[in-house]
Amino acid sequence: MSQIIMETINLNKAFSLGETIYAVNNVNIQLAAGSMNVIVGPSGSGKSTLLSLLGGLDRPMSGDILLQGQSYRALSEDKLALLRRHKLGYVFQFFNLIPHLTALENVMLPLQFVNMPNREAKKRGLELLERVGLSKRSHHLPLQLSGGEQQRVAIARSLANNPAIILADEPTGNLDTKTRDGIVALFQELNQQEGQTFVMVTHDPSLGKFADKIITMKDGTVISQ
Ligand SMILES: Nc1ncnc2c1ncn2[C@@H]1O[C@H](COP(=O)(O)OP(=O)(O)OP(=O)(O)O)[C@@H](O)[C@H]1O
Ligand SMILES: [Mg+2]
């Protein structure tokens, strides 16, 4: 069996707004190193919540996550932030680009967090924008870009620090067929050639087609994987 890069142990997250919602309810999953994983399930089933727990962006109520054997629970906020910067890449459901930074500056941000010299960061930022087909938009602000273009900036940003794991929430949701095929090919290439592990929430069959594992969620629980 291939090596496990990430696993969850009895992971729980609830929200209390009047009634208590068990958004992630006792989830146990194992992700193989270099695998392509897809999370599917109806709206409200806990997909985005699970992804932000895996990304260390949110703390679980109970349970734990291990990344390359390292327990998130054992880490201080500072150490968890370091782990995020060095090992993880994110594409958020609503992109989360910084509005007053250009496309290029947004892509360079994760590199500045790991203290890459500016010249090098700029070079890598431009290369990544080129890979997602946006080399002509590097100086645009997010508001000056279409939804699909913003999404591609978010994808370029998620790849900047060459993360071991890329967590993406509907990364191809708003893209036209041609752009989507380009992004799917890029993910496939990174997965097969660089061995990067992907965890993606998606309803897109073109991503599901080459998934090693499909995790189906319903009401906060994993009903099949
Ligand atoms: N910050 C929050 N406070 C309160 N409830 C929340 C919060 N975030 C999520 N929830 C609730 O937790 C449940 C799971 O939400 P989540 O966003 O994970 O669903 P999802 O599967 O990603 O849905 P979608 O496909 O619509 O994006 C939902 O019932 C949602 O209302
Ligand atoms: Mg969601």
Side-chain angles (χ1 to χ4, degrees):
M1 192 177 144
S2 48
Q3 210 190 333
I4 302 296
I5 188 166
M6 180 179 257
E7 64 184 308
T8 69
I9 302 161
N10 300 331
L11 201 61
N12 285 290
K13 177 81 188 181
F15 296 106
S16 294
L17 294 175
E19 63 162 341
T20 302
I21 296 161
Y22 295 91
V24 167
N25 194 350
N26 208 36
V27 165
N28 291 282
I29 54 172
Q30 276 133 21
L31 308 174
S35 61
M36 180 65 76
N37 304 277
V38 163
I39 304 175
V40 296
S43 180
S45 60
K47 305 179 300 293
S48 295
T49 307
L50 176 60
L51 214 59
S52 60
L53 293 172
L54 295 178
L57 299 163
D58 200 358
R59 292 279 196 177
M61 202 169 64
S62 65
D64 202 359
I65 294 158
L66 304 180
L67 170 57
Q68 295 167 334
Q70 170 66 61
S71 152
Y72 283 19
R73 185 163 284 278
L75 294 174
S76 64
E77 288 304 322
D78 289 355
K79 290 272 166 56
L80 187 60
L82 273 179
L83 176 141
R84 286 200 302 262
R85 284 173 196 176
H86 287 276
K87 302 213 163 153
L88 300 173
Y90 309 91
V91 184
F92 297 97
Q93 192 166 13
F94 304 106
F95 320 145
N96 289 12
L97 297 176
I98 311 288
H100 62 272
L101 297 181
T102 65
L104 176 60
E105 287 163 348
N106 267 284
V107 177
M108 286 168 64
L109 209 55
L111 301 172
Q112 287 161 341
F113 282 139
V114 295
N115 302 317
M116 183 182 279
N118 207 51
R119 229 147 75 95
E120 210 178 311
K122 191 167 173 183
K123 185 165 171 278
R124 177 148 175 83
L126 287 169
E127 277 166 16
L128 286 161
L129 284 174
E130 178 148 17
R131 284 189 99 163
V132 298
L134 285 181
S135 43
K136 294 203 176 90
R137 298 284 185 279
S138 60
H139 298 300
H140 285 230
L141 295 170
L143 275 175
Q144 298 164 335
L145 296 167
S146 73
E149 288 170 344
Q150 290 180 40
Q151 190 160 17
R152 283 183 279 157
V153 174
I155 290 168
R157 181 182 59 182
S158 77
L159 303 173
N161 60 344
N162 196 24
I165 305 190
I166 294 147
L167 303 158
D169 209 337
E170 295 283 6
T172 61
N174 301 301
L175 303 175
D176 60 89
T177 316
K178 185 165 163 277
T179 310
R180 189 195 61 198
D181 290 348
I183 296 294
V184 172
L186 173 62
F187 283 171
Q188 217 168 354
E189 181 189 316
L190 291 168
N191 178 243
Q192 287 167 3
Q193 292 172 17
E194 323 274 335
Q196 281 171 312
T197 304
F198 284 79
V199 187
M200 292 187 285
V201 173
T202 186
H203 295 98
D204 184 347
S206 61
L207 282 170
K209 209 169 55 194
F210 63 93
D212 297 303
K213 181 180 274 202
I214 296 179
I215 296 162
T216 309
M217 292 191 74
K218 186 170 183 273
D219 298 333
T221 61
V222 171
I223 56 170
S224 73
Q225 60 173 307

